Amino acid sequence: MSKNTTVQIDPDLEDLIPSFMENSREEIREMVEAVNNNDFVTLKRLGHSTKGAGRSYGFEDIGEIGLEIETAAVQKKIELVKTSINDLIDYMDNVIIVFE
Amino acid sequence: MEKIKILVVEDDKRILDIYDKFLSADIFEKELVSNGNMVINKYKEFMPEIIILDIMLPGTSGYVILKEIRTSFNDKDTCVIMATSISKQEDVLSCVKLGISGYMVKPFNHRELNDTTLTYFEKDNQTKAIQAREILSGN
């Protein structure tokens, strides 16, 4: 995942973005806990919801990472799940949002 | 016009925020629920005219909730719109058999949320849906 990715988001969604970020970080915490418990059912659900939420806001990269987590969870590939979660953390830490 | 009572059931708070913002407060009286286990109590208390119901919920699924509304409560009238992801559209078929007014595929366009909701509601209450559209268009 490249550093400082710039993404264009609909200005109508601007006031929702702080809550989106906070809820996404909370979800990452739940993912890490699920990884520690080898809980693939929860990981599948969280990957699925990350995919849907990311795409709903226009964060296509988050949507793709969510899909990767969901798929890896279905296949019970914990290392792939971990890699994708790290990609998600990296993206969240470095994304630059432009509202236009 | 009395506002249309709408109950939205969605476990992802990020998506719930979108419903909350873009379902117009000019025409809808909204109740938002993120926990599937709380839906039936809210349904009995609020008596919504429209329910937007996510199919894939942790705990009690949208399908089970729909089944309870249509069979246990024998409610065939409330407009129920199922929300599902594009990869799970086949899940809608089982809901159709129980009776739904329509479905939305996520991710949906938030700009079309009011129109889509009213389009499905129109089948159940044409007069009120038309009035709501007039309010939205500023007439």
Side-chain angles (χ1 to χ4, degrees), chain A residues 10 12-13 15-16 19-20 23-24 27 44-45 48-53 55-57, chain B residues 11-15 17-18 21-22 56-58 85-88 106-108 110-111:
Chain A
D10 188 331
D12 285 353
L13 298 168
D15 59 327
L16 301 183
S19 174
F20 174 89
N23 284 312
S24 296
E27 195 160 82
K44 180 186 172 214
R45 177 175 64 78
H48 182 80
S49 60
T50 293
K51 177 182 71 179
R55 289 175 177 169
S56 294
Y57 279 78
Chain B
D11 65 305
D12 191 313
K13 288 176 183 166
R14 295 165 294 191
I15 307 294
D17 281 347
I18 290 179
K21 176 166 181 178
F22 293 101
M56 193 172 166
L57 295 166
S85 66
I86 195 159
S87 59
K88 299 281 182 186
K106 298 188 288 186
F108 49 77
H110 56 267
R111 294 176 198 279

Side-chain angles (χ1 to χ4, degrees), chain B residues 33 35-41 58-60 65:
Chain B
V33 175
N35 184 335
N37 297 326
M38 293 169 55
V39 176
I40 292 300
N41 280 343
T60 311
I65 293 165

Side-chain angles (χ1 to χ4, degrees), chain A residues 25-41:
Chain A
R25 291 189 189 284
E26 174 60 31
E27 195 160 82
I28 289 171
R29 284 191 282 275
E30 288 179 42
M31 286 179 189
V32 171
E33 191 178 329
V35 164
N36 292 336
N37 295 326
N38 270 327
D39 182 353
F40 289 106
V41 173

Side-chain angles (χ1 to χ4, degrees), chain B residues 46-92:
Chain B
F46 183 55
M47 296 197 295
E49 295 164 272
I50 303 173
I51 303 173
I52 297 180
L53 183 56
D54 190 22
I55 291 181
M56 193 172 166
L57 295 166
T60 311
S61 74
Y63 173 81
V64 169
I65 293 165
L66 174 67
K67 191 172 183 183
E68 190 162 358
I69 290 169
R70 292 297 191 229
T71 57
S72 302
F73 290 92
N74 199 30
D75 175 359
K76 314 290 187 199
D77 299 325
T78 301
C79 170
V80 178
I81 302 166
M82 304 306 292
T84 185
S85 66
I86 195 159
S87 59
K88 299 281 182 186
Q89 286 185 72
E90 70 275 8
D91 294 347
V92 173

Side-chain angles (χ1 to χ4, degrees), chain B residues 97-111:
Chain B
K97 290 173 188 166
L98 289 170
I100 58 174
S101 298
Y103 70 98
M104 295 179 183
V105 176
K106 298 188 288 186
F108 49 77
N109 184 341
H110 56 267
R111 294 176 198 279

